[in-house]
Amino acid sequence: MGKIADRALEIAEEKFIASSGPGGQNVNKVASAVQLRVDVFRLGLPPEAYARLQEIAGSKLTKGGEILIAANEYRTQEQNREAARERLLALLADALNPPRKRRKSRLNRVGKVKRLKAKKERGAVKAKRGKVDW
């Protein structure tokens, strides 16, 4: 993760835009929101990690293969920049970690018999709910 994270922050393009929300008179003068763009193809991700990234990123991934992250929850440019970078790194970390394989649960003989008995009882209850034949 280290090399890819460093590479991502290295090639990321930051653009500062006017943010909506609180800020008083300052809001129209200062571009405090951050748009972070990273070209996924330049990261050199393995194919399976790229597939996971496509799934995880959703609408943040453009058709051109760029991840676009916008951060405007803070009033300062530096805090928004840090928030956007953290989100990018979290996204990449999720994509690089393969999901754990599901292990089949093993049911012993007693558990199987118990389950089947409960099913029979439940079926009998439901069968008694049918139409009454006089």
Side-chain angles (χ1 to χ4, degrees), residues 43-64:
L43 289 176
L45 293 173
E48 58 276 357
Y50 177 70
R52 277 193 299 273
L53 182 65
Q54 278 183 313
E55 196 174 305
I56 295 168
S59 63
K60 291 183 189 93
L61 190 66
T62 65
K63 288 188 190 238

Side-chain angles (χ1 to χ4, degrees):
M1 171 63 195
K3 287 181 184 178
I4 292 179
D6 292 341
R7 178 105 174 103
L9 293 177
E10 187 179 299
I11 64 172
E13 296 172 16
E14 292 172 340
K15 184 178 176 185
F16 299 99
I17 53 177
S19 177
S20 62
Q25 295 173 344
N26 206 29
V27 77
N28 296 325
K29 295 185 280 184
V30 179
S32 60
V34 178
Q35 266 189 352
L36 193 68
R37 282 182 184 269
V38 179
D39 188 1
V40 177
F41 302 118
R42 289 179 59 194
L43 289 176
L45 293 173
E48 58 276 357
Y50 177 70
R52 277 193 299 273
L53 182 65
Q54 278 183 313
E55 196 174 305
I56 295 168
S59 63
K60 291 183 189 93
L61 190 66
T62 65
K63 288 188 190 238
E66 290 184 326
I67 295 177
L68 180 64
I69 296 176
N72 64 352
E73 57 264 17
Y74 298 105
R75 288 175 69 159
T76 66
Q77 203 176 70
E78 197 52 46
Q79 283 178 309
N80 283 329
R81 172 189 273 161
E82 196 57 40
R85 287 179 174 188
E86 284 174 13
R87 276 196 250 156
L88 173 67
L89 294 179
L91 197 67
L92 290 174
D94 286 348
L96 288 169
N97 290 333
R100 296 174 96 187
K101 291 225 173 183
R102 182 187 174 278
R103 283 196 232 145
K104 282 172 111 177
S105 57
R106 285 195 34 171
L107 197 61
N108 59 16
R109 189 178 51 80
V110 175
K112 197 181 283 188
V113 168
K114 235 170 124 177
R115 182 178 62 85
L116 291 173
K117 184 180 174 203
K119 281 178 67 134
K120 284 275 187 210
E121 288 173 7
R122 190 76 190 135
V125 167
K126 289 186 172 190
K128 291 177 186 173
R129 290 188 192 150
K131 231 178 202 178
V132 179
D133 185 27
W134 298 104

